[in-house]
Amino acid sequence: MNLSRSNIFNGIFVLFVSVLLFFRTTGKEDAFTTEGIHPMDYPRALIFLLFILGILIAFTKSKKTEEDRIPIVTRRTISMCISLIFFAILFEKIGFALCAFGGMMLCGIIMGYRRFVLLTCVSAISCACIWIVFTYVLKIPLPTGTIW
């Protein structure tokens, strides 16, 4: 088995983060319950998936060659970071719907996706699905914005 050091290190780091997050969800048992579902059940399920991902990363064979070297910081990387910073700043001010739709469109354009009609439809449907899940399933209200 050809395991690389970076895979083992990254896998152990993800395992450590998942264990740390798991312990952060334990201890506060007096939290309110909504319709019989404990609020910490959702994060614990995601933390379990993160733990499994850490194991997979740590014990996956490395297939890197010299040709696979890609620069870490490019114009796209910097553009994505700037757009995500603007998303975080504007999220409370203009609300979830417009901010998420614009953010998804901008990220798609930055990543080089050029089918604008499909990108618009996917962004709108994704925003609607996220809003439905947060509002009706999880019962977490999303910001509507202070501008309106």
Side-chain angles (χ1 to χ4, degrees):
M1 187 183 277
N2 184 17
L3 298 176
S4 74
R5 284 186 177 173
S6 64
N7 282 4
I8 293 172
F9 175 75
N10 292 336
I12 290 173
F13 179 75
V14 171
L15 287 170
F16 175 74
V17 168
S18 68
V19 169
L20 182 69
L21 289 174
F22 177 76
F23 285 123
R24 295 285 295 165
T25 62
T26 59
K28 294 187 177 182
E29 297 299 327
D30 59 340
F32 66 94
T33 57
T34 306
E35 299 175 8
I37 298 174
H38 194 275
M40 288 297 134
D41 287 342
Y42 294 115
R44 286 181 188 149
L46 294 175
I47 290 168
F48 177 72
L49 292 175
L50 186 66
F51 185 81
I52 298 298
L53 180 68
I55 292 172
L56 291 175
I57 290 172
F59 296 108
T60 300
K61 290 182 182 179
S62 179
K63 297 178 184 177
K64 289 185 179 180
T65 62
E66 291 297 321
E67 300 170 358
D68 293 338
R69 303 226 183 247
I70 299 171
I72 295 174
V73 179
T74 62
R75 285 187 207 151
R76 285 184 178 176
T77 310
I78 295 170
S79 301
M80 287 294 288
C81 290
I82 291 170
S83 67
L84 291 174
I85 289 170
F86 278 121
F87 175 80
I89 292 171
L90 296 175
F91 188 71
E92 291 283 328
K93 298 198 181 341
I94 66 173
F96 168 77
L98 289 176
C99 195
F101 178 76
M104 286 182 198
M105 290 287 293
L106 186 61
C107 288
I109 291 169
I110 290 171
M111 295 307 292
Y113 198 74
R114 298 292 178 232
R115 295 173 62 183
F116 294 113
V117 174
L118 185 60
L119 182 62
T120 304
C121 293
V122 168
S123 297
I125 291 170
S126 298
C127 287
C129 289
I130 292 169
W131 182 77
I132 288 169
V133 166
F134 271 83
T135 303
Y136 294 111
V137 176
L138 300 175
K139 295 185 178 18
I140 299 173
L142 293 171
T144 56
T146 57
I147 293 176
W148 317 113

